[in-house]
Amino acid sequence: MDRQTVGSAHRGRLEVEVRTEGRSEVVTPVGELDHHTADLLREPLESAVEQGRTRLVVDCSRLEFCDSTGLNVLLGARLKAEAAGGGVHLAGMLPMVARVFEITGAEAVFTVHDSLESALDA
């Protein structure tokens, strides 16, 4: 990872792909999730819940970095999805991202899967 880009205001560091697969809305953040890019993930997660797609699967396999702001986006999505009768499943976290969840204890409040396939099958 190019450490010079961490914390910069360049929003191009995160892309978010969204697709519906069966009963799940699959949201795939690609790149770095931080204070500057958090809205790029928040918006499709909130939109999915507003449209009644409350089973959210976040494919983290291409998420290279996540700070506390990104973690808060995911926690907020979890609360909204659960209030609507759904939930958030995290799949395929890379070690650096998984460590953030481990250190903060957030892994205990999410359903975490080793792979996207296992999250979709759950």
Side-chain angles (χ1 to χ4, degrees), residues 18-39:
V18 181
R19 71 181 188 280
T20 301
E21 194 158 326
R23 60 189 177 105
S24 301
E25 193 77 355
V26 179
V27 181
T28 305
V30 179
E32 299 175 8
L33 177 58
D34 60 24
H35 172 74
H36 300 287
T37 61
D39 284 340

Side-chain angles (χ1 to χ4, degrees), residues 71 84 111:
L71 181 60
T111 304

Side-chain angles (χ1 to χ4, degrees), residues 46-89:
E46 288 180 355
S47 177
V49 173
E50 289 168 5
Q51 295 172 18
R53 306 290 300 171
T54 60
R55 187 179 195 282
L56 306 175
V57 175
V58 181
D59 178 2
C60 299
S61 64
R62 299 190 311 174
L63 183 61
E64 300 167 0
F65 177 82
C66 180
D67 72 359
S68 61
T69 306
L71 181 60
N72 283 329
V73 166
L74 293 169
L75 289 167
R78 177 187 153 267
L79 291 174
K80 289 180 181 183
E82 287 181 354
V88 174
H89 297 256

Side-chain angles (χ1 to χ4, degrees), residues 93-105 107:
M93 281 194 277
L94 298 174
M96 178 186 287
V97 174
R99 183 77 175 130
V100 171
F101 282 78
E102 180 184 325
I103 289 170
T104 62
E107 67 183 358

